[in-house]
Amino acid sequence: MTTRKTLFALFIIVILTALALAGCGAKETPLPTPTRTPKPTFTPTPEGQIINAPLFEKDVSAAPTDEVAVLPTDTPTPPPPPTDTPTPVPPTDTPTPVPPSVSVGQVVNVRSGPGTNYPIIGRAQPGQKYPITGKNPAGTWWQIDFNGKTGWIIDKLVTTEGQTDAVEVVASIPPAPTPTPRPPTPTPIPTQPPKPTYPYSLGEGTWRCDPNPGQTYFNGFVRDRQNNPINGVCVHIAFYGPRNTKCSGCDGVGDGVWGFSPFGGPAPPGTPVEIYVVPCPPEPLPPGGQTVQTGFGDLTPLSDKWTMTINESVQCTGITFYKN
């Protein structure tokens, strides 16, 4: 309504201006009779829309009117519905399930049950494939159709194919065979070689060794079981080979006495020493006994050996051999 009033006021101003200009002329020209303009149909403008086109056309000489023609508002034409019908996508074919099986890549034992304690019923060869018919509860062994027989094969040595998740646990797994106990292996009793029967025995605990930095030497006795001294019994000392043979009671050392000072001073540390009774030669021993220079007779032991490793220079006395 405001717009219509504004337009009407503008129209009156224009008419009055025209009349004033006409009155100023030399001759007054009568105004023509105004023709009635048909009343336009009013179309409401949507809120916020501004019409920039001229609202009406007027003749300055025509009579005023209180009606304004309003241009119709363009109504957007909706797009036509699509005529193309989408082509339906055919359903994807469901893959055919692959039966579970095992493939063998090396020679594998086939057993009568799921375990290495079951007997072997055959061997699967590389490149062979067998249908799976079951599994053990742990899933570590597969039950297979082994050329028409029921067999078991370990999982870690084969490759599986197909739907192994659907493989069921075998309900009737054969019990594991009870191993036959092996007879205990008798522990061999260590046998000591029979101790030779010597005509002389080494007395136990009859000797003592004391440090003697200046000279390493050994002496002792040969006695019978009544502790009587025996002369003429040959005693030998060896270290790194034969060294000296002397006889008891020889060279004025006393009845039943023998002795050795073979080093001429202290013995080198780590020297192994053996002293034992040996057979005497047929001829009498030379003074000082047999040595490397004179040669030795029969050195077969006739008694147990007294042994010692010399770590420091010592004197060992009381080494006694008894006649059996």
Side-chain angles (χ1 to χ4, degrees):
M1 290 299 293
T2 304
T3 303
R4 294 176 60 186
K5 289 181 180 181
T6 303
L7 294 176
F8 182 77
L10 292 175
F11 180 78
I12 295 299
I13 293 172
V14 171
I15 294 300
L16 292 177
T17 303
L19 292 177
L21 291 176
C24 292
K27 187 178 181 178
E28 183 178 353
T29 303
L31 294 173
T33 303
T35 304
R36 186 72 175 181
T37 304
K39 186 176 181 182
T41 304
F42 177 73
T43 302
T45 303
E47 183 177 357
Q49 182 175 348
I50 300 175
I51 303 300
N52 294 325
L55 300 179
F56 62 89
E57 293 182 0
K58 64 182 181 63
D59 187 355
V60 292
S61 61
T65 177
D66 57 351
E67 297 293 336
V68 177
V70 180
L71 295 179
T73 304
D74 293 337
T75 302
T77 304
T83 57
D84 296 335
T85 303
T87 304
V89 179
T92 304
D93 293 337
T94 302
T96 303
V98 178
S101 62
V102 296
S103 295
V104 182
Q106 59 182 314
V107 178
V108 182
N109 291 331
V110 180
R111 297 182 178 269
S112 62
T116 56
N117 54 339
Y118 287 84
I120 297 173
I121 63 173
R123 286 179 173 83
Q125 300 299 321
Q128 294 179 335
K129 182 183 294 186
Y130 301 97
I132 293 176
T133 57
K135 64 181 178 181
N136 68 333
T140 54
W141 287 78
W142 298 108
Q143 186 188 67
I144 61 174
D145 181 356
F146 183 61
N147 302 325
K149 297 185 296 184
T150 299
W152 290 83
I153 197 166
I154 193 167
D155 172 68
K156 64 182 180 180
L157 298 181
V158 297
T159 302
T160 58
E161 299 178 4
Q163 296 179 334
T164 55
D165 294 340
V167 176
E168 296 183 357
V169 176
V170 177
S172 57
I173 296 177
T178 303
T180 303
R182 295 181 179 180
T185 303
T187 304
I189 299 174
T191 58
Q192 298 290 341
K195 188 174 183 179
T197 302
Y198 294 122
Y200 294 89
S201 299
L202 175 64
E204 295 293 335
T206 60
W207 65 85
R208 60 177 294 175
C209 294
D210 300 303
N212 188 32
Q215 180 79 10
T216 299
Y217 69 91
F218 312 90
N219 66 21
F221 307 94
V222 178
R223 302 178 185 272
D224 61 16
R225 289 298 176 181
Q226 287 71 41
N227 213 30
N228 298 313
I230 303 175
N231 294 327
V233 177
C234 291
V235 179
H236 182 77
I237 184 170
F239 51 92
Y240 303 120
R243 291 295 172 176
N244 197 190
T245 300
K246 290 185 177 182
C247 61
S248 59
C250 298
D251 299 332
V253 294
D255 289 338
V257 178
W258 56 265
F260 299 100
S261 297
F263 301 101
T271 302
V273 174
E274 295 179 339
I275 300 176
Y276 52 96
V277 177
V278 297
C280 285
E283 65 278 1
L285 294 178
Q290 292 178 331
T291 63
V292 176
Q293 289 74 23
T294 64
F296 299 97
D298 185 2
L299 297 181
T300 301
L302 296 181
S303 69
D304 296 323
K305 294 180 178 182
W306 182 90
T307 61
M308 182 180 188
T309 299
I310 306 300
N311 293 318
E312 61 177 342
S313 183
V314 292
Q315 58 182 16
C316 295
T317 59
I319 303 170
T320 303
F321 295 98
Y322 290 97
K323 183 176 176 59
N324 293 328

